[in-house]
Every structure is written in structure tokens, then in C-alpha cells.
Amino acid sequence: MTQENGFLARIKEIRLESTGVKSFVIEAADGADLPSWSPGAHVDLALAPGMNRQYSLCGNPADRRTARFAVLKELQSRGGSIMLHDRVELGDDLDVIAVRNHFPLVTAERFRLVAGGIGITPLLAMARELDQRGLDWQLLYGGRTRAHMAFQDELEAFGDKVLIRPQDECGLLPLGKFLGTEEPGKVVYCCGPEPLIKAVEAYCAGWDESALQIERFHPKEQAPHAPDSAFDVELRRSDKMVTVHAGQSIADALEEVGVVIPRSCNEGTCGTCITKILEGIADHRDSFLRPKQRDKNNVIMVCCSRSRTPRLVLDV
């Protein structure tokens, strides 16, 4: 689901959820209903010129008057989390560009959710939805210490469906015991820091790719790339040809000729700029597409990826 009907939001509530994590409850500044959303969705915020950030919604989708997202204050961040923690106050307005969902719940019989740190935010909404639907689900939640783990009071209300495991008390998460073996109808959702995601990916390496759903908040480490070289991009529907120079993104090159593809993170993590390929071979440099999706070579993230062929034809 992608909704481009942005709106001006007003901060109704700010709450300290754990050490380093604040939640923000927003409402429409004009009092209107908020766009509908489903678990896994995020708000795309324009915090300042050139500073767009995405934060997972963790409230109740049935509530059309307010929405909630949570933010971890990261001192080594690009500035968004520090701005929200230190400069934003009750009653301030936020520019919501869109509500998007590139991490939706799929149809399955059994769900195993694995969260690390701030990765609990999209999975909290999923847990609530799955519980309301009476489905088979469990959530394994880890963090450095109990003090750093947000929303524990809400999660404890689910009883033994949720396992809270602070690392300083319990060690590393027991992924093998929790995830078990691949079974028809079982799907794993994982969101959290890169070491956790890599561990879950490694454990599920032999499973069908659709049985593991992942959301990253930061770009993953990429294999070394050959030096950039220029290539041409044909925009089939726009009937234009554009040269993308070394060090220039496809999205930037397209904007120079007046063709704007919506994008947000500019790091290849959010999925906003995904674009269909008609001809040519992509040089994928994103952290969004899974290996089999890359192998299909039918889409590309134009904010960061390039072309392995002299010419790339896009359905734009």
C-alpha cells in the first residue's frame, strides 16, 4: 500500500518509552481523519529541507484520529532522531509526505516475529493485528538491557505469546529454538539491527525466500563495486533518453530532465523509489530487494542502484 496523500500533522503526545526511545502521537492539524494504514506501514516525514525520514507506525490502525510512531535517539545518525528527541515539542507540526507499507503482513497460518531494539515498532502493530484475528503467532524480543526495550507493558499483556529477552540477562536470542524448522504456512518477520537480521537470514537460508520477511532501518554492508561509469537510461513512457554520470544517481539524473520518481531515504532501504525495468541489467546496490527479487531483474531502486549494461530501459 502506498498513499501519497500527505498531510500536516500535529504532535498530540510525547512519551519516553525506554532509555533512548520516545514515542510520538500525531493527529491531523485540520482535525480530519488520518489516512488508513495496516501493520508494517511507516510515516514518511519531511523534517527539514533534504531531511526525509521514515518511522514505523506502532499504534492501532483502527484509530483514524491519531497515529503513533517511535524513534530511537542515535547519536551517530544523520540528524533526524536527534531533531525529534531534542527539538520537537507538544503542539509542533510535522509534514507527513505519505503513509507507505513495504512490509505488510502476508497470508499465512503461523507467524513468528523477531524484534531487536527499535525493530519492535512495526512488529508491535503486527502482534496486535494477529492476536485480534486469532492467528497462531509468537514474538521474540531482544535488546541490550531491559531498560532499553520499549513497549514492554503493552507486550506483557499478550502473556506467553511474547518472549522478552534482554541480552545482559539472557544472552543472545535463542533463534533456533524459537524459529524451529521450515513448515508450510509458516512465515518469519524480522526487524532490528543488522547483526540480528543477518543471524535470522543465516538460520533461514535454506527456506523458501517468501517464508522470511525483513525490514531494515539502515543500509546493509555491500560487496565492493566496480568504479562507477556512465550509462544511458531510456524512459519508455516519457520518450526520453538520459545519461547517468559516474557518481550520479538515476533519480538525480531523471530530475534534471523534469522526471521525478518519488523517493525518500536515498539509501535503498525504504522501497519508495522502486521502478520497473523493461530492458538492461541492474547493478543492485540497495538493502531492500531480496536475492531472488534481484535475480528477476524486473525492478530497480533508482536512488542508489546503477546499470551493468550501457543502456537501461525503465517503465517511466
Side-chain angles (χ1 to χ4, degrees), residues 22 77 125 157 259 308:
K22 282 184 178 181
S77 78
V259 178
R308 296 185 182 276

Side-chain angles (χ1 to χ4, degrees), residues 275-312:
T275 303
K276 185 177 180 180
I277 297 173
L278 299 178
E279 296 177 30
I281 301 174
D283 177 6
H284 294 292
R285 302 186 181 187
D286 64 277
S287 302
F288 182 82
L289 297 174
R290 304 290 297 283
K292 288 185 179 178
Q293 291 175 308
R294 291 185 171 199
D295 291 343
K296 289 180 180 178
N297 192 54
N298 58 4
V299 293
I300 186 172
M301 313 294 288
V302 296
C303 73
C304 62
S305 295
R306 300 184 67 78
S307 179
R308 296 185 182 276
T309 49
R311 177 170 159 272
L312 197 64

Side-chain angles (χ1 to χ4, degrees), residues 15-37:
R15 176 180 171 181
L16 184 65
E17 299 290 352
S18 67
T19 300
V21 176
K22 282 184 178 181
S23 68
F24 299 81
V25 176
I26 58 175
E27 58 187 355
D30 61 3
D33 282 353
L34 300 180
S36 61
W37 61 279

Side-chain angles (χ1 to χ4, degrees), residues 231-242 244 249-255 259-261 273-284 297-303 305-307 309 311-316:
F231 58 94
D232 292 327
V233 173
E234 178 186 337
L235 309 179
R236 182 64 55 83
R237 285 189 283 117
S238 301
D239 193 25
K240 293 184 178 182
M241 184 73 75
V242 181
V244 180
S249 72
I250 297 174
D252 284 342
L254 267 54
E255 289 185 7
V259 178
V260 177
I261 294 178
C273 68
I274 192 166
T275 303
K276 185 177 180 180
I277 297 173
L278 299 178
E279 296 177 30
I281 301 174
D283 177 6
H284 294 292
N297 192 54
N298 58 4
V299 293
I300 186 172
M301 313 294 288
V302 296
C303 73
S305 295
R306 300 184 67 78
S307 179
T309 49
R311 177 170 159 272
L312 197 64
V313 183
L314 301 180
D315 185 22
V316 176

Side-chain angles (χ1 to χ4, degrees), residues 2-264:
T2 299
Q3 297 181 0
E4 298 298 341
N5 52 336
F7 62 96
L8 185 65
R10 186 154 295 151
I11 297 178
K12 184 178 181 180
E13 180 182 348
I14 301 176
R15 176 180 171 181
L16 184 65
E17 299 290 352
S18 67
T19 300
V21 176
K22 282 184 178 181
S23 68
F24 299 81
V25 176
I26 58 175
E27 58 187 355
D30 61 3
D33 282 353
L34 300 180
S36 61
W37 61 279
S38 57
H42 66 261
V43 285
D44 196 339
L45 303 179
L47 297 177
M51 185 187 287
N52 291 1
R53 299 292 184 267
Q54 305 78 40
Y55 300 103
S56 296
L57 291 168
C58 53
N60 183 1
D63 180 3
R64 297 293 301 279
R65 305 302 297 178
T66 65
R68 180 179 66 168
F69 62 90
V71 181
L72 169 67
K73 185 176 183 180
E74 300 182 85
L75 299 181
Q76 304 302 317
S77 78
R78 297 172 297 154
S81 68
I82 292 176
M83 174 180 288
L84 284 166
H85 271 257
D86 295 348
R87 295 173 55 187
V88 171
E89 300 178 347
L90 285 176
D92 285 354
D93 290 340
L94 292 176
D95 184 8
V96 178
I97 301 171
V99 178
R100 301 186 171 100
N101 195 345
H102 298 295
F103 190 46
L105 282 171
V106 299
T107 300
E109 298 174 9
R110 290 173 295 283
F111 295 81
R112 297 297 177 260
L113 316 178
V114 182
I118 195 62
I120 189 61
T121 50
L123 301 190
L124 175 58
M126 290 183 182
R128 187 182 295 110
E129 172 78 10
L130 294 171
D131 202 61
Q132 289 174 350
R133 288 161 54 182
L135 295 175
D136 179 345
W137 70 276
Q138 285 185 299
L139 168 64
L140 178 62
Y141 179 26
R144 286 182 294 160
T145 69
R146 196 173 293 272
H148 286 87
M149 299 172 70
F151 304 119
Q152 291 180 65
D153 53 344
E154 296 180 41
L155 292 167
E156 287 170 355
F158 292 116
D160 59 7
K161 288 182 179 293
V162 174
L163 306 175
I164 297 176
R165 297 292 185 267
Q167 185 173 349
D168 64 333
E169 299 176 21
C170 308
L172 297 177
L173 292 179
L175 295 178
K177 181 179 179 180
F178 180 75
L179 296 177
T181 59
E182 181 180 16
E183 303 171 47
K186 182 165 78 174
V187 64
V188 174
Y189 276 78
C190 180
C191 186
E194 190 62 21
L196 173 63
I197 292 177
K198 284 185 175 180
V200 173
E201 285 182 319
Y203 185 86
C204 300
W207 297 21
D208 185 271
E209 191 169 275
S210 63
L212 176 58
Q213 304 291 323
I214 292 171
E215 181 169 69
R216 285 179 162 90
F217 291 143
H218 301 290
K220 64 181 180 181
E221 184 177 341
Q222 301 283 341
H225 297 286
D228 287 354
S229 59
F231 58 94
D232 292 327
V233 173
E234 178 186 337
L235 309 179
R236 182 64 55 83
R237 285 189 283 117
S238 301
D239 193 25
K240 293 184 178 182
M241 184 73 75
V242 181
T243 297
V244 180
H245 300 286
Q248 181 183 37
S249 72
I250 297 174
D252 284 342
L254 267 54
E255 289 185 7
E256 288 185 355
V257 296
V259 178
V260 177
I261 294 178
R263 52 177 165 154
S264 185

